[in-house]
Amino acid sequence: MTSPAPETTHALAFTPEDLPTAESFFQPHRILLMAIFATLVVYVSWSMRWDWLPQYLPKLGWGIVVTLAMLFSTSILGFLLAVPLGLVQVTGPWPLKAFAKTFCTIIRGTPLLLQLWLLYYGLGSLFPQFPAIRSSFLWPYLRESWPYGVAALTISFAAYEGEVMRGAFAGVPAGELEAARAFGMSRWTVFRRIWLPRAIHRALPTLTGETVLQLKSTPLVATITVLDVYAIISKVRQDTFLTYEPLLLLALIYLCLTGILVLAFRKLENRIPTRGA
Amino acid sequence: MADPAPFINWSLLALSPPGWGSVLLSGLINSIQIAIGGYSLGLLLGVGGAFGKLYGGPILRDLLECYTTIVRAVPELVLILLLYYAGTDLINQFMGLAGLPAVDISGLAAGIFVIGVVQGAYSTEVLRGAIKAVPSGQIEAARAFGMSPVKVMTRITLPAMLPYAIPGLSNLWLIATKDTALLAVVGFSELTLVTRQAAGTTKAYLLFFCAAGVLYLALTLVSNVFISIIERRARRGLAEAA
């Protein structure tokens, strides 16, 4: 029942089932609640200070772009890493299997913030000691902070998603693979045409949750001076000495981003035909 | 590459003062305290939230839905900042209203509060799912025997849902231990923050971050052992799942 590594967190993530449907909105008590909520919003926007907003709006827009760039680049890179990680755990020779298992356990057993700081402060302080690295073409990038953020988020996503893909690969019915082989497909063709698409199909609902979790991890990169939307809000807080207003706006921004992300995944899932269900 | 010896100075991890070992360990203890406190508070909120969502009126249900949705859609880091400032502020306003001087809220209490509120939303969902998985016949049988609703809850619903809830709850415990690291951002001296301070002072960044990683990993692995023991105990008498 329990695997040695902790189970993934997908059951806890925000997924398409959590979005309300349009028709469920208009029940009497909901209309009342929404009216109360609207008054609250109006009260908040009247009583709190929002005069800083126009000045920082362009920066905030840029911060959102950075956050989304972080999210998509690390999710895609992490997924590309997760496919081999999952695959070798199902079929691979034991050294690869053990390596993938250890990698997933270590990454999932330590906090992302620690991994991020390990890469940025640890490796970042080590690299300048090697003249070979300092003279290489990579140095202009290694001096920046975002490569460390991308690396840490990618590794983390790969480890969590690697476990998911392991389950997805193992869960593809053996009969389908046998049928493909009976048609004379080579191993690579079986993998490309049957195994991988079926595994992704099975993992898609979980993938939504993991991507939302990844979005929720992106503000951590602000702690290593990447200027994402969280970092911009922190700057606003320092400049204006306001505590709540910027943070409330930030929470609202992330709520909207999550909602849009989940809606997009729901559209994607609906495009894939499923029988029954 | 030169001799690796200068890169690793193991004496920095010694337990007595020139070494930072005891500082790291006390940070770990702080982390564990917050994790245990936050997790327990989260469980309490979760039991209340799950029963409210399943058996409450429509308004209570909607409010709880808002709570779980917001917590699960907004990054923990943002929630921790909001709750940390709002929580301490509210308490001080309350003290002001009561005519008492403002209090300094301890970082420990504030940390437990914020982790607890975040964990509460997740455990609400886990427990709700687990309660729904309890065969309704068992609850009906308990009612037929004339048990009061509270007795049905303590004797039947809660024990019977445990096997379904434990995978999710153990997950939550592991998340709680790792979420404590986020409190480093508000300046609470848990393991990650003291590690950063130790590393910054000695410049031995890799050594200290790896040491902290080992401590976190050990915490996770030890937790896993306990979780599997608990799980085996809760599942006794049930058919083995394939």
Side-chain angles (χ1 to χ4, degrees):
Chain A
M1 186 70 201
T2 24
S3 54
E7 288 290 314
T8 44
T9 49
H10 68 267
L12 310 170
F14 195 80
T15 52
E17 291 90 71
D18 294 314
L19 279 184
T21 48
E23 62 267 25
S24 68
F25 258 112
F26 300 104
Q27 290 166 1
H29 74 275
R30 292 234 163 104
I31 293 174
L32 182 73
L33 277 180
M34 278 191 283
I36 295 173
F37 185 66
T39 1
L40 206 67
V41 169
V42 170
Y43 171 74
V44 163
S45 43
W46 267 103
S47 65
M48 288 179 154
R49 274 189 52 206
W50 297 97
D51 50 323
W52 48 273
L53 199 53
Q55 188 195 339
Y56 286 96
L57 219 44
K59 274 190 185 166
L60 276 177
W62 176 244
I64 292 175
V65 170
V66 171
T67 294
L68 288 179
M70 274 282 168
L71 169 69
F72 288 119
S73 60
T74 59
S75 301
I76 292 167
L77 286 175
F79 184 74
L80 292 180
L81 268 178
V83 169
L85 272 175
L87 196 62
V88 297
Q89 285 189 67
V90 177
T91 61
W94 75 263
L96 279 179
K97 211 184 260 187
F99 169 77
K101 187 106 211 131
T102 317
F103 174 79
C104 289
T105 308
I106 289 178
I107 299 298
R108 285 153 39 114
T110 50
L112 177 56
L113 187 66
L114 191 78
Q115 296 160 16
L116 190 68
W117 286 359
L118 171 68
L119 285 184
Y120 182 64
Y121 296 109
L123 286 185
S125 70
L126 208 60
F127 284 151
Q129 298 175 13
F130 298 100
I133 291 179
R134 250 198 321 215
S135 54
S136 79
F137 70 98
L138 282 173
W139 183 241
Y141 300 105
L142 290 178
R143 263 190 338 200
E144 306 264 338
S145 57
W146 61 264
Y148 300 95
V150 169
L153 285 177
T154 302
I155 289 171
S156 155
F157 191 80
Y160 282 96
E161 198 56 33
E163 284 290 309
V164 175
M165 288 314 285
R166 177 182 63 93
F169 277 124
V172 173
E176 296 183 11
L177 302 178
E178 276 166 24
R181 248 176 261 133
F183 273 104
M185 290 187 192
S186 69
R187 289 180 64 158
W188 168 241
T189 319
V190 171
F191 174 73
R192 189 168 49 91
R193 289 219 189 128
I194 315 287
W195 210 6
L196 183 63
R198 285 286 280 135
I200 291 178
H201 183 193
R202 295 176 72 92
L204 203 54
T206 322
L207 204 60
T208 317
E210 293 287 335
T211 314
V212 172
L213 289 181
Q214 185 77 350
L215 171 69
K216 290 170 60 179
S217 311
T218 51
L220 291 183
V221 298
T223 60
I224 59 166
T225 70
V226 177
L227 280 181
D228 73 334
V229 66
Y230 176 88
I232 304 287
I233 290 285
S234 304
K235 173 114 181 36
V236 173
R237 290 180 54 212
Q238 278 171 13
D239 291 352
T240 59
F241 302 110
L242 293 170
T243 312
Y244 297 114
E245 289 88 342
L247 283 176
L248 283 176
L249 180 70
L250 185 61
L252 187 70
I253 290 174
Y254 276 110
L255 264 178
C256 294
L257 289 181
T258 306
I260 294 169
L261 200 63
V262 167
L263 268 181
F265 265 98
R266 189 199 265 179
K267 281 244 155 42
L268 187 68
E269 268 176 60
N270 286 345
R271 282 183 52 179
I272 298 171
T274 11
R275 207 164 50 153
Chain B
M1 190 172 136
D3 179 26
F7 286 117
I8 303 173
N9 181 0
W10 293 106
S11 67
L12 286 174
L13 289 177
L15 284 178
S16 51
W20 290 78
S22 56
V23 179
L24 288 196
L25 284 184
S26 69
L28 177 67
I29 289 170
N30 271 342
S31 290
I32 295 176
Q33 274 180 333
I34 288 202
I36 291 177
Y39 186 69
S40 317
L41 179 61
L43 270 187
L44 284 181
L45 288 175
V47 171
F51 276 93
K53 256 190 171 180
L54 286 171
Y55 307 118
I59 292 181
L60 179 65
R61 232 181 294 171
D62 276 5
L63 289 178
L64 285 170
E65 192 65 45
C66 287
Y67 164 54
T68 55
T69 303
I70 289 173
V71 170
R72 293 192 305 157
V74 174
E76 277 84 356
L77 190 58
V78 179
L79 287 174
I80 281 174
L81 279 180
L82 259 176
L83 290 171
Y84 192 81
Y85 293 116
T88 48
D89 213 42
L90 276 180
I91 288 178
N92 274 335
Q93 272 185 7
F94 187 74
M95 296 297 273
L97 280 182
L100 295 166
V103 286
D104 230 7
I105 289 103
S106 77
L108 191 71
I112 288 176
F113 168 70
V114 292
I115 297 284
V117 172
V118 173
Q119 288 270 316
Y122 289 108
S123 43
T124 296
E125 290 298 303
V126 169
L127 293 174
R128 188 180 64 113
I131 291 173
K132 270 170 81 179
V134 174
S136 56
Q138 297 187 359
I139 293 171
E140 278 164 22
R143 275 203 212 113
F145 272 102
M147 288 190 189
S148 67
V150 176
K151 252 195 187 145
V152 174
M153 183 178 99
T154 54
R155 285 213 187 143
I156 311 294
T157 315
L158 288 180
M161 62 141 208
L162 264 188
Y164 305 104
I166 280 179
L169 290 182
S170 49
N171 230 337
L172 274 182
W173 163 249
L174 296 174
I175 294 175
T177 58
K178 286 185 283 170
D179 268 359
T180 55
L182 298 178
L183 291 170
V185 175
V186 289
F188 179 72
S189 60
E190 47 66 64
L191 182 52
T192 307
L193 188 67
V194 296
T195 304
R196 193 180 161 182
Q197 286 161 349
T201 315
T202 57
K203 305 288 173 215
Y205 289 99
L206 268 183
L207 174 68
F208 278 112
F209 283 123
C210 287
V214 169
L215 288 179
Y216 275 114
L217 194 62
L219 182 58
T220 302
L221 295 179
V222 170
S223 304
N224 275 338
V225 172
F226 280 105
I227 287 165
S228 58
I229 292 174
I230 294 171
E231 182 157 7
R232 216 173 308 138
R233 205 181 140 67
R235 289 190 66 82
R236 68 197 192 282
L238 287 183
E240 233 4 85

